[in-house]
Amino acid sequence: MKTVVFKIKRQANPDSAAQWECFEIPWKPGMNVISSLMEIATNPVTTGGVTTSPITYDANCLEEVCGSCAMVINGKARMACSALVDQLEQPIRVEPLTKFPVVRDLAVDRSVIFENLKAVKAWVPVDGTYDLGSGPRIAPSEQEEAYPVSRCISCCCCMEACPQFNDDTGFVGAATIAQVGLFNSHPTGKALKHERLAALMGDGGIQECGYAQNCVEVCPKDIPLTRSISEVSRDVMAQAFTDLFRR
Ligand code: SF4
Ligand code: SF4
Ligand code: FES
């Protein structure tokens, strides 16, 4: 019988030491890492014959839309639901993202991205208490520019791969910068443009980016992060310059 071997890094709680466990499960056509974790959960016995607990992980949509199943698979940050077993070298090594606190096993706390998105006001400000009528029209060419960036699923793969995203820099990361560009380009969203760009100035802001482009290589949604970062960087510089002469 054809089988698949997994080595999975596990951790019982945020403070406990990590350890590796090995599992061998039957091969099935089209299986991916999440379906394999589900299979392991039906009979959580290691290759050494030890009965253990099912592996904890985050997942929801199973179609690369919710952004919750990001893990490090064979050394690369990616979505587990779209990681096809047949395309991976075995044993398949699965680890939690390394730049985020582990909650348990493969589940990590990625709340930092939501705090960063709040800090830059990554939304279109709309007063929903009364009928505003239809919104401003957006030309198809502008929609085509904005759409790729709007596909961000907040998975944090770009931050995991970024050499600048660490506790020393406090860098916000590529996803947040791209969302600043997206909401600043929206006819209603641009009302907060000044505040968004101001939030990217100083420590942890856009100047921390070293343009290494690791982010764009791992983004599962092919978001043009390099273009976004350079456009937002240009806007931040222009605003810093204008603010200087306003004083
Ligand atoms: S370009 Fe490099 S430094 Fe900048 S966000 Fe992407 S990975 Fe990080
Ligand atoms: S920019 Fe790409 S890698 Fe980063 S959070 Fe969004 S979808 Fe994930
Ligand atoms: S489960 Fe939603 S992106 Fe993988």
Side-chain angles (χ1 to χ4, degrees):
M1 183 179 59
K2 195 171 166 187
T3 59
V4 186
V5 177
F6 281 88
K7 277 186 77 180
I8 300 177
K9 197 173 189 182
R10 306 197 59 182
Q11 189 171 327
N13 60 59
D15 303 316
S16 60
Q19 59 178 47
W20 290 88
E21 280 183 352
C22 193
F23 300 89
E24 187 167 12
I25 56 171
W27 176 87
K28 287 184 188 156
M31 66 198 297
N32 59 52
V33 170
I34 291 292
S35 68
S36 303
L37 293 172
M38 289 175 178
E39 181 71 31
I40 291 169
T42 64
N43 182 29
V45 177
T46 67
T47 48
V50 178
T51 300
T52 181
S53 53
I55 295 144
T56 300
Y57 57 91
D58 287 318
N60 191 352
C61 69
L62 307 184
E63 55 182 0
E64 211 178 65
V65 169
C66 74
S68 63
C69 69
M71 300 169 191
V72 177
I73 299 169
N74 283 356
K76 186 183 170 203
R78 56 180 300 178
M79 310 315 292
C81 65
S82 56
L84 296 175
V85 160
D86 286 346
Q87 294 172 2
L88 295 166
E89 198 176 304
Q90 288 193 47
I92 299 169
R93 283 174 299 110
V94 187
E95 304 166 60
L97 296 179
T98 63
K99 304 260 184 96
F100 303 83
V102 172
V103 177
R104 183 182 162 99
D105 295 340
L106 304 171
V108 298
D109 178 357
R110 287 171 294 167
S111 49
V112 63
I113 191 170
F114 299 105
E115 294 308 318
N116 291 348
L117 290 169
K118 279 195 274 180
V120 300
K121 300 188 190 314
W123 56 77
V124 173
V126 177
D127 183 346
T129 56
Y130 63 100
D131 183 4
L132 292 167
S134 51
R137 294 180 75 85
I138 304 176
S141 58
E142 290 166 21
Q143 292 173 21
E144 272 169 35
E145 286 269 303
Y147 178 68
V149 186
S150 75
R151 297 171 69 225
C152 177
I153 55 176
S154 304
C155 64
C156 297
C157 287
C158 56
M159 294 145 83
E160 171 75 14
C162 174
Q164 294 298 103
F165 182 77
N166 53 53
D167 288 344
D168 291 343
T169 63
F171 180 38
V172 293
T176 300
I177 294 170
Q179 294 308 299
V180 166
L182 174 68
F183 288 102
N184 281 357
S185 71
H186 188 276
T188 309
K190 66 169 56 139
L192 300 176
K193 182 172 180 177
H194 194 276
E195 289 168 65
R196 289 197 197 97
L197 295 178
L200 289 181
M201 293 177 193
D203 290 348
I206 198 164
Q207 97 251 2
E208 309 286 356
C209 173
Y211 298 100
Q213 300 185 25
N214 296 17
C215 51
V216 78
E217 277 171 32
V218 295
C219 177
K221 307 309 283 187
D222 294 327
I223 294 177
L225 293 167
T226 319
R227 189 193 81 197
S228 290
I229 291 169
S230 79
E231 287 173 0
V232 173
S233 177
R234 182 198 60 207
D235 290 350
V236 167
M237 299 266 279
Q239 179 166 302
F241 204 62
T242 318
D243 290 352
L244 193 68
F245 285 100
R246 269 210 199 112
R247 281 186 195 155

mmCIF file of all heavy atoms in Angstrom, residues 13-54:
data_model
loop_
_atom_site.group_PDB
_atom_site.id
_atom_site.type_symbol
_atom_site.label_atom_id
_atom_site.label_comp_id
_atom_site.label_asym_id
_atom_site.label_seq_id
_atom_site.Cartn_x
_atom_site.Cartn_y
_atom_site.Cartn_z
ATOM 1 N N ASN A 13 1.483 23.578 24.604
ATOM 2 C CA ASN A 13 0.948 24.891 24.992
ATOM 3 C C ASN A 13 2.017 25.958 24.692
ATOM 4 O O ASN A 13 3.144 25.616 24.338
ATOM 5 C CB ASN A 13 0.503 24.908 26.468
ATOM 6 C CG ASN A 13 1.645 24.607 27.403
ATOM 7 O OD1 ASN A 13 2.657 25.317 27.412
ATOM 8 N ND2 ASN A 13 1.525 23.536 28.182
ATOM 9 N N PRO A 14 1.682 27.237 24.846
ATOM 10 C CA PRO A 14 2.641 28.282 24.442
ATOM 11 C C PRO A 14 3.988 28.198 25.150
ATOM 12 O O PRO A 14 5.003 28.636 24.605
ATOM 13 C CB PRO A 14 1.911 29.585 24.810
ATOM 14 C CG PRO A 14 0.465 29.227 24.772
ATOM 15 C CD PRO A 14 0.373 27.804 25.234
ATOM 16 N N ASP A 15 4.041 27.624 26.353
ATOM 17 C CA ASP A 15 5.286 27.627 27.119
ATOM 18 C C ASP A 15 6.052 26.309 27.076
ATOM 19 O O ASP A 15 7.191 26.239 27.534
ATOM 20 C CB ASP A 15 4.992 27.975 28.592
ATOM 21 C CG ASP A 15 4.278 29.316 28.690
ATOM 22 O OD1 ASP A 15 4.702 30.251 27.984
ATOM 23 O OD2 ASP A 15 3.286 29.402 29.432
ATOM 24 N N SER A 16 5.439 25.260 26.557
ATOM 25 C CA SER A 16 6.127 23.969 26.600
ATOM 26 C C SER A 16 7.132 23.834 25.453
ATOM 27 O O SER A 16 7.070 24.575 24.467
ATOM 28 C CB SER A 16 5.117 22.818 26.565
ATOM 29 O OG SER A 16 4.370 22.886 25.382
ATOM 30 N N ALA A 17 8.039 22.873 25.598
ATOM 31 C CA ALA A 17 9.064 22.646 24.565
ATOM 32 C C ALA A 17 8.427 21.954 23.361
ATOM 33 O O ALA A 17 7.479 21.184 23.506
ATOM 34 C CB ALA A 17 10.180 21.783 25.143
ATOM 35 N N ALA A 18 8.968 22.247 22.180
ATOM 36 C CA ALA A 18 8.459 21.617 20.961
ATOM 37 C C ALA A 18 9.108 20.245 20.782
ATOM 38 O O ALA A 18 10.232 20.013 21.234
ATOM 39 C CB ALA A 18 8.753 22.503 19.768
ATOM 40 N N GLN A 19 8.390 19.352 20.128
ATOM 41 C CA GLN A 19 8.949 18.031 19.795
ATOM 42 C C GLN A 19 8.362 17.573 18.470
ATOM 43 O O GLN A 19 7.306 18.049 18.057
ATOM 44 C CB GLN A 19 8.596 17.015 20.879
ATOM 45 C CG GLN A 19 7.083 16.872 21.038
ATOM 46 C CD GLN A 19 6.703 15.833 22.072
ATOM 47 O OE1 GLN A 19 7.259 15.833 23.161
ATOM 48 N NE2 GLN A 19 5.766 14.975 21.723
ATOM 49 N N TRP A 20 9.099 16.686 17.787
ATOM 50 C CA TRP A 20 8.628 16.191 16.485
ATOM 51 C C TRP A 20 7.936 14.844 16.665
ATOM 52 O O TRP A 20 8.397 14.007 17.441
ATOM 53 C CB TRP A 20 9.806 16.023 15.526
ATOM 54 C CG TRP A 20 10.402 17.327 15.088
ATOM 55 C CD1 TRP A 20 11.391 18.030 15.726
ATOM 56 C CD2 TRP A 20 10.060 18.089 13.924
ATOM 57 N NE1 TRP A 20 11.682 19.180 15.034
ATOM 58 C CE2 TRP A 20 10.877 19.240 13.913
ATOM 59 C CE3 TRP A 20 9.152 17.905 12.890
ATOM 60 C CZ2 TRP A 20 10.804 20.202 12.915
ATOM 61 C CZ3 TRP A 20 9.070 18.865 11.884
ATOM 62 C CH2 TRP A 20 9.884 19.998 11.904
ATOM 63 N N GLU A 21 6.850 14.648 15.927
ATOM 64 C CA GLU A 21 6.195 13.338 15.889
ATOM 65 C C GLU A 21 6.052 12.920 14.428
ATOM 66 O O GLU A 21 5.824 13.764 13.555
ATOM 67 C CB GLU A 21 4.819 13.386 16.560
ATOM 68 C CG GLU A 21 4.913 13.318 18.075
ATOM 69 C CD GLU A 21 3.568 13.285 18.786
ATOM 70 O OE1 GLU A 21 2.515 13.458 18.135
ATOM 71 O OE2 GLU A 21 3.578 13.117 20.017
ATOM 72 N N CYS A 22 6.206 11.621 14.193
ATOM 73 C CA CYS A 22 6.176 11.098 12.824
ATOM 74 C C CYS A 22 4.919 10.230 12.624
ATOM 75 O O CYS A 22 4.551 9.462 13.513
ATOM 76 C CB CYS A 22 7.456 10.273 12.639
ATOM 77 S SG CYS A 22 7.777 9.875 10.933
ATOM 78 N N PHE A 23 4.270 10.421 11.485
ATOM 79 C CA PHE A 23 3.049 9.654 11.179
ATOM 80 C C PHE A 23 3.149 9.102 9.759
ATOM 81 O O PHE A 23 3.696 9.763 8.868
ATOM 82 C CB PHE A 23 1.812 10.560 11.268
ATOM 83 C CG PHE A 23 1.611 11.185 12.624
ATOM 84 C CD1 PHE A 23 2.207 12.415 12.940
ATOM 85 C CD2 PHE A 23 0.843 10.547 13.597
ATOM 86 C CE1 PHE A 23 2.035 12.987 14.190
ATOM 87 C CE2 PHE A 23 0.664 11.122 14.851
ATOM 88 C CZ PHE A 23 1.260 12.350 15.149
ATOM 89 N N GLU A 24 2.593 7.939 9.555
ATOM 90 C CA GLU A 24 2.519 7.354 8.212
ATOM 91 C C GLU A 24 1.059 7.019 7.934
ATOM 92 O O GLU A 24 0.434 6.280 8.699
ATOM 93 C CB GLU A 24 3.387 6.097 8.141
ATOM 94 C CG GLU A 24 3.478 5.544 6.736
ATOM 95 C CD GLU A 24 4.581 4.489 6.607
ATOM 96 O OE1 GLU A 24 5.101 4.029 7.627
ATOM 97 O OE2 GLU A 24 4.915 4.144 5.458
ATOM 98 N N ILE A 25 0.523 7.589 6.870
ATOM 99 C CA ILE A 25 -0.904 7.391 6.576
ATOM 100 C C ILE A 25 -1.061 6.882 5.140
ATOM 101 O O ILE A 25 -0.176 7.091 4.309
ATOM 102 C CB ILE A 25 -1.725 8.698 6.782
ATOM 103 C CG1 ILE A 25 -1.154 9.834 5.927
ATOM 104 C CG2 ILE A 25 -1.787 9.083 8.228
ATOM 105 C CD1 ILE A 25 -2.025 11.075 5.908
ATOM 106 N N PRO A 26 -2.199 6.242 4.834
ATOM 107 C CA PRO A 26 -2.402 5.752 3.466
ATOM 108 C C PRO A 26 -2.489 6.909 2.477
ATOM 109 O O PRO A 26 -3.077 7.955 2.789
ATOM 110 C CB PRO A 26 -3.751 5.016 3.538
ATOM 111 C CG PRO A 26 -4.078 4.879 4.983
ATOM 112 C CD PRO A 26 -3.312 5.917 5.728
ATOM 113 N N TRP A 27 -1.896 6.716 1.303
ATOM 114 C CA TRP A 27 -1.972 7.718 0.231
ATOM 115 C C TRP A 27 -3.361 7.688 -0.401
ATOM 116 O O TRP A 27 -3.956 6.614 -0.564
ATOM 117 C CB TRP A 27 -0.914 7.405 -0.825
ATOM 118 C CG TRP A 27 -0.977 8.321 -2.029
ATOM 119 C CD1 TRP A 27 -0.361 9.524 -2.164
ATOM 120 C CD2 TRP A 27 -1.697 8.091 -3.248
ATOM 121 N NE1 TRP A 27 -0.649 10.073 -3.386
ATOM 122 C CE2 TRP A 27 -1.483 9.212 -4.082
ATOM 123 C CE3 TRP A 27 -2.518 7.069 -3.715
ATOM 124 C CZ2 TRP A 27 -2.039 9.329 -5.358
ATOM 125 C CZ3 TRP A 27 -3.081 7.182 -4.984
ATOM 126 C CH2 TRP A 27 -2.832 8.312 -5.785
ATOM 127 N N LYS A 28 -3.891 8.871 -0.705
ATOM 128 C CA LYS A 28 -5.152 8.949 -1.448
ATOM 129 C C LYS A 28 -4.955 9.965 -2.563
ATOM 130 O O LYS A 28 -4.220 10.939 -2.379
ATOM 131 C CB LYS A 28 -6.290 9.440 -0.536
ATOM 132 C CG LYS A 28 -6.770 8.414 0.467
ATOM 133 C CD LYS A 28 -7.945 8.940 1.264
ATOM 134 C CE LYS A 28 -8.275 7.986 2.392
ATOM 135 N NZ LYS A 28 -8.963 8.618 3.498
ATOM 136 N N PRO A 29 -5.612 9.788 -3.700
ATOM 137 C CA PRO A 29 -5.416 10.766 -4.779
ATOM 138 C C PRO A 29 -5.897 12.145 -4.363
ATOM 139 O O PRO A 29 -6.927 12.275 -3.699
ATOM 140 C CB PRO A 29 -6.262 10.207 -5.936
ATOM 141 C CG PRO A 29 -7.070 9.088 -5.383
ATOM 142 C CD PRO A 29 -6.531 8.707 -4.050
ATOM 143 N N GLY A 30 -5.133 13.162 -4.709
ATOM 144 C CA GLY A 30 -5.536 14.556 -4.470
ATOM 145 C C GLY A 30 -5.403 15.013 -3.033
ATOM 146 O O GLY A 30 -5.846 16.103 -2.691
ATOM 147 N N MET A 31 -4.785 14.221 -2.169
ATOM 148 C CA MET A 31 -4.720 14.623 -0.752
ATOM 149 C C MET A 31 -3.812 15.840 -0.574
ATOM 150 O O MET A 31 -2.839 16.027 -1.312
ATOM 151 C CB MET A 31 -4.292 13.466 0.149
ATOM 152 C CG MET A 31 -2.878 12.971 -0.065
ATOM 153 S SD MET A 31 -2.591 11.313 0.629
ATOM 154 C CE MET A 31 -2.844 11.562 2.376
ATOM 155 N N ASN A 32 -4.168 16.668 0.410
ATOM 156 C CA ASN A 32 -3.349 17.835 0.735
ATOM 157 C C ASN A 32 -2.977 17.768 2.212
ATOM 158 O O ASN A 32 -3.370 16.816 2.919
ATOM 159 C CB ASN A 32 -4.096 19.135 0.384
ATOM 160 C CG ASN A 32 -5.405 19.260 1.130
ATOM 161 O OD1 ASN A 32 -5.440 19.134 2.348
ATOM 162 N ND2 ASN A 32 -6.497 19.491 0.416
ATOM 163 N N VAL A 33 -2.250 18.768 2.693
ATOM 164 C CA VAL A 33 -1.751 18.681 4.074
ATOM 165 C C VAL A 33 -2.903 18.731 5.082
ATOM 166 O O VAL A 33 -2.896 18.002 6.077
ATOM 167 C CB VAL A 33 -0.690 19.778 4.338
ATOM 168 C CG1 VAL A 33 -0.329 19.861 5.814
ATOM 169 C CG2 VAL A 33 0.564 19.490 3.510
ATOM 170 N N ILE A 34 -3.932 19.540 4.817
ATOM 171 C CA ILE A 34 -5.054 19.590 5.777
ATOM 172 C C ILE A 34 -5.818 18.262 5.791
ATOM 173 O O ILE A 34 -6.137 17.731 6.862
ATOM 174 C CB ILE A 34 -6.018 20.757 5.452
ATOM 175 C CG1 ILE A 34 -5.346 22.108 5.720
ATOM 176 C CG2 ILE A 34 -7.306 20.639 6.287
ATOM 177 C CD1 ILE A 34 -5.060 22.443 7.157
ATOM 178 N N SER A 35 -6.074 17.696 4.607
ATOM 179 C CA SER A 35 -6.809 16.424 4.606
ATOM 180 C C SER A 35 -5.974 15.338 5.282
ATOM 181 O O SER A 35 -6.505 14.431 5.915
ATOM 182 C CB SER A 35 -7.223 16.024 3.185
ATOM 183 O OG SER A 35 -6.105 15.696 2.404
ATOM 184 N N SER A 36 -4.646 15.474 5.202
ATOM 185 C CA SER A 36 -3.770 14.506 5.878
ATOM 186 C C SER A 36 -3.844 14.674 7.400
ATOM 187 O O SER A 36 -3.862 13.682 8.140
ATOM 188 C CB SER A 36 -2.320 14.692 5.412
ATOM 189 O OG SER A 36 -2.241 14.566 4.013
ATOM 190 N N LEU A 37 -3.897 15.924 7.854
ATOM 191 C CA LEU A 37 -4.023 16.151 9.304
ATOM 192 C C LEU A 37 -5.364 15.599 9.816
ATOM 193 O O LEU A 37 -5.460 15.082 10.931
ATOM 194 C CB LEU A 37 -3.907 17.648 9.623
ATOM 195 C CG LEU A 37 -2.531 18.288 9.359
ATOM 196 C CD1 LEU A 37 -2.604 19.806 9.525
ATOM 197 C CD2 LEU A 37 -1.473 17.708 10.299
ATOM 198 N N MET A 38 -6.402 15.694 8.975
ATOM 199 C CA MET A 38 -7.706 15.126 9.338
ATOM 200 C C MET A 38 -7.616 13.606 9.430
ATOM 201 O O MET A 38 -8.174 12.988 10.332
ATOM 202 C CB MET A 38 -8.760 15.506 8.290
ATOM 203 C CG MET A 38 -9.157 16.961 8.305
ATOM 204 S SD MET A 38 -10.286 17.257 6.923
ATOM 205 C CE MET A 38 -10.653 18.990 7.167
ATOM 206 N N GLU A 39 -6.887 13.028 8.492
ATOM 207 C CA GLU A 39 -6.705 11.568 8.475
ATOM 208 C C GLU A 39 -5.952 11.125 9.736
ATOM 209 O O GLU A 39 -6.314 10.133 10.370
ATOM 210 C CB GLU A 39 -5.923 11.186 7.204
ATOM 211 C CG GLU A 39 -5.662 9.730 7.019
ATOM 212 C CD GLU A 39 -6.919 8.927 6.667
ATOM 213 O OE1 GLU A 39 -7.816 9.496 6.023
ATOM 214 O OE2 GLU A 39 -6.982 7.742 7.069
ATOM 215 N N ILE A 40 -4.908 11.864 10.083
ATOM 216 C CA ILE A 40 -4.137 11.527 11.298
ATOM 217 C C ILE A 40 -5.051 11.590 12.523
ATOM 218 O O ILE A 40 -4.978 10.755 13.424
ATOM 219 C CB ILE A 40 -2.918 12.473 11.447
ATOM 220 C CG1 ILE A 40 -1.888 12.173 10.358
ATOM 221 C CG2 ILE A 40 -2.289 12.353 12.831
ATOM 222 C CD1 ILE A 40 -0.774 13.202 10.237
ATOM 223 N N ALA A 41 -5.974 12.579 12.539
ATOM 224 C CA ALA A 41 -6.863 12.747 13.703
ATOM 225 C C ALA A 41 -7.787 11.546 13.908
ATOM 226 O O ALA A 41 -8.228 11.274 15.028
ATOM 227 C CB ALA A 41 -7.692 14.027 13.542
ATOM 228 N N THR A 42 -8.077 10.810 12.813
ATOM 229 C CA THR A 42 -8.955 9.638 12.969
ATOM 230 C C THR A 42 -8.244 8.487 13.687
ATOM 231 O O THR A 42 -8.886 7.607 14.237
ATOM 232 C CB THR A 42 -9.452 9.115 11.591
ATOM 233 O OG1 THR A 42 -8.316 8.665 10.845
ATOM 234 C CG2 THR A 42 -10.192 10.193 10.821
ATOM 235 N N ASN A 43 -6.905 8.526 13.671
ATOM 236 C CA ASN A 43 -6.136 7.455 14.341
ATOM 237 C C ASN A 43 -4.749 8.007 14.696
ATOM 238 O O ASN A 43 -3.767 7.730 14.017
ATOM 239 C CB ASN A 43 -6.003 6.235 13.407
ATOM 240 C CG ASN A 43 -5.259 5.107 14.081
ATOM 241 O OD1 ASN A 43 -5.298 4.958 15.307
ATOM 242 N ND2 ASN A 43 -4.545 4.303 13.294
ATOM 243 N N PRO A 44 -4.697 8.846 15.736
ATOM 244 C CA PRO A 44 -3.423 9.530 16.040
ATOM 245 C C PRO A 44 -2.393 8.630 16.721
ATOM 246 O O PRO A 44 -2.160 8.713 17.925
ATOM 247 C CB PRO A 44 -3.861 10.689 16.945
ATOM 248 C CG PRO A 44 -5.129 10.245 17.575
ATOM 249 C CD PRO A 44 -5.776 9.243 16.649
ATOM 250 N N VAL A 45 -1.772 7.779 15.900
ATOM 251 C CA VAL A 45 -0.725 6.878 16.405
ATOM 252 C C VAL A 45 0.549 7.156 15.613
ATOM 253 O O VAL A 45 0.521 7.199 14.374
ATOM 254 C CB VAL A 45 -1.142 5.399 16.234
ATOM 255 C CG1 VAL A 45 -0.026 4.471 16.700
ATOM 256 C CG2 VAL A 45 -2.423 5.109 17.003
ATOM 257 N N THR A 46 1.654 7.359 16.296
ATOM 258 C CA THR A 46 2.904 7.693 15.610
ATOM 259 C C THR A 46 3.490 6.454 14.923
ATOM 260 O O THR A 46 3.057 5.328 15.186
ATOM 261 C CB THR A 46 3.959 8.239 16.597
ATOM 262 O OG1 THR A 46 4.336 7.172 17.461
ATOM 263 C CG2 THR A 46 3.422 9.409 17.407
ATOM 264 N N THR A 47 4.510 6.689 14.087
ATOM 265 C CA THR A 47 5.149 5.541 13.423
ATOM 266 C C THR A 47 5.818 4.625 14.450
ATOM 267 O O THR A 47 6.041 3.451 14.192
ATOM 268 C CB THR A 47 6.218 6.014 12.421
ATOM 269 O OG1 THR A 47 7.038 6.980 13.056
ATOM 270 C CG2 THR A 47 5.605 6.618 11.180
ATOM 271 N N GLY A 48 6.115 5.148 15.631
ATOM 272 C CA GLY A 48 6.698 4.332 16.706
ATOM 273 C C GLY A 48 5.636 3.566 17.480
ATOM 274 O O GLY A 48 5.940 2.907 18.478
ATOM 275 N N GLY A 49 4.368 3.693 17.086
ATOM 276 C CA GLY A 49 3.289 2.943 17.741
ATOM 277 C C GLY A 49 2.718 3.613 18.979
ATOM 278 O O GLY A 49 1.955 3.005 19.732
ATOM 279 N N VAL A 50 3.095 4.862 19.215
ATOM 280 C CA VAL A 50 2.602 5.565 20.407
ATOM 281 C C VAL A 50 1.295 6.285 20.086
ATOM 282 O O VAL A 50 1.224 7.041 19.115
ATOM 283 C CB VAL A 50 3.661 6.591 20.904
ATOM 284 C CG1 VAL A 50 3.142 7.368 22.119
ATOM 285 C CG2 VAL A 50 4.965 5.890 21.204
ATOM 286 N N THR A 51 0.277 6.053 20.910
ATOM 287 C CA THR A 51 -0.985 6.766 20.720
ATOM 288 C C THR A 51 -0.822 8.179 21.285
ATOM 289 O O THR A 51 -0.386 8.358 22.412
ATOM 290 C CB THR A 51 -2.132 6.042 21.446
ATOM 291 O OG1 THR A 51 -2.232 4.739 20.906
ATOM 292 C CG2 THR A 51 -3.455 6.772 21.251
ATOM 293 N N THR A 52 -1.156 9.153 20.456
ATOM 294 C CA THR A 52 -0.974 10.544 20.858
ATOM 295 C C THR A 52 -2.290 11.298 20.635
ATOM 296 O O THR A 52 -3.320 10.688 20.351
ATOM 297 C CB THR A 52 0.216 11.163 20.078
ATOM 298 O OG1 THR A 52 0.399 12.497 20.477
ATOM 299 C CG2 THR A 52 -0.004 11.123 18.574
ATOM 300 N N SER A 53 -2.252 12.617 20.789
ATOM 301 C CA SER A 53 -3.482 13.413 20.604
ATOM 302 C C SER A 53 -3.572 13.883 19.150
ATOM 303 O O SER A 53 -2.542 14.028 18.480
ATOM 304 C CB SER A 53 -3.458 14.621 21.540
ATOM 305 O OG SER A 53 -2.265 15.330 21.355
ATOM 306 N N PRO A 54 -4.788 14.148 18.648
ATOM 307 C CA PRO A 54 -4.890 14.725 17.298
ATOM 308 C C PRO A 54 -4.149 16.052 17.249
ATOM 309 O O PRO A 54 -4.030 16.739 18.268
ATOM 310 C CB PRO A 54 -6.393 14.927 17.109
ATOM 311 C CG PRO A 54 -7.046 14.049 18.125
ATOM 312 C CD PRO A 54 -6.096 13.973 19.280
#
